[in-house]
Amino acid sequence: MTNEQKLYEHTIALLHERGVDPQAIGELVMFLQEKFIPSLTLEDATQNVMIVLRKREVQNAVMTGVQLDKLAEAGKLEQPLQHIIEEDEGLYGVDEILAFSIVNVYGSIGFTNYGYIDRVKPGILAKLNAHEPGIIHTFLDDIVGAIAAAAASRLAHSHPELEDDNY
């Protein structure tokens, strides 16, 4: 098995460990794109998620964010950072900055997709953002939203004929 394949499988395993199935991210892609790509299926949306998860930048963001969430759950960060991440404080934007590294992979349309889905928090994002006692997903909710936004952007780029502003 190649190192590339090991990192990909490790990334998928980390998501599963934290309660996120790629199909749940595919559902977010459907939420973002079904109005623009009426023929889109959940299978196609999830396949695009899996392609996004093969990108090294995405894998690095998942590994970093999950590790920071786990360290915060274990109370292993120094104060005041421990409290800030535990509370997912509104003015703490490092989690979004990490997510932007994923959003950037497929162009600027990813920013609008990400901003919208981060605000609305549909599907798995609502669960990840529930702030249940002892469970911290400060980074993961933004990472999952960014993966969905990147996959939706990838789809939009592969269907330019469906854009409203064709000339």
Side-chain angles (χ1 to χ4, degrees):
M1 182 181 307
T2 65
N3 189 45
E4 181 179 311
Q5 185 64 23
K6 286 179 187 175
L7 281 173
Y8 172 73
E9 290 182 12
H10 180 66
T11 300
I12 300 293
L14 282 173
L15 291 171
H16 278 288
E17 175 187 314
R18 301 301 286 177
V20 178
D21 184 282
Q23 185 171 326
I25 304 174
E27 291 169 3
L28 297 175
V29 174
M30 292 293 295
F31 174 82
L32 288 168
Q33 287 298 318
E34 63 189 348
K35 183 169 77 172
F36 305 106
I37 307 172
S39 63
L40 184 62
T41 65
L42 180 57
E43 182 180 334
D44 288 338
T46 303
Q47 180 63 32
N48 276 274
V49 168
M50 302 306 281
I51 292 168
V52 168
L53 289 170
R54 288 201 172 272
K55 296 282 194 180
R56 181 65 64 95
E57 301 96 319
V58 176
Q59 295 165 354
N60 289 340
V62 171
M63 289 185 290
T64 302
V66 167
Q67 185 65 44
L68 287 167
D69 284 345
K70 289 165 85 173
L71 287 170
E73 280 180 358
K76 299 208 176 210
L77 299 173
E78 291 184 15
Q79 294 296 351
L81 184 60
Q82 176 69 39
H83 177 77
I84 291 167
I85 292 177
E86 277 177 356
E87 298 300 316
D88 196 5
E89 288 187 4
L91 293 177
Y92 182 75
V94 177
D95 46 342
E96 280 87 7
I97 298 299
L98 185 60
F100 288 159
S101 70
I102 295 170
V103 171
N104 279 330
V105 173
Y106 289 101
S108 61
I109 190 172
F111 279 101
T112 56
N113 281 328
Y114 173 73
Y116 177 65
I117 206 164
D118 187 49
R119 185 80 171 140
V120 177
K121 298 211 186 298
I124 188 74
L125 293 180
K127 179 184 176 199
L128 294 175
N129 202 47
H131 302 289
E132 296 176 32
I135 299 173
I136 297 172
H137 295 304
T138 297
F139 286 88
L140 187 61
D141 69 324
D142 293 304
I143 287 168
V144 167
I147 293 167
S153 299
R154 185 178 189 282
L155 279 162
H157 283 290
S158 66
H159 291 86
E161 74 281 2
L162 300 175
E163 291 297 312
D164 292 337
D165 58 350
N166 280 337
Y167 295 100

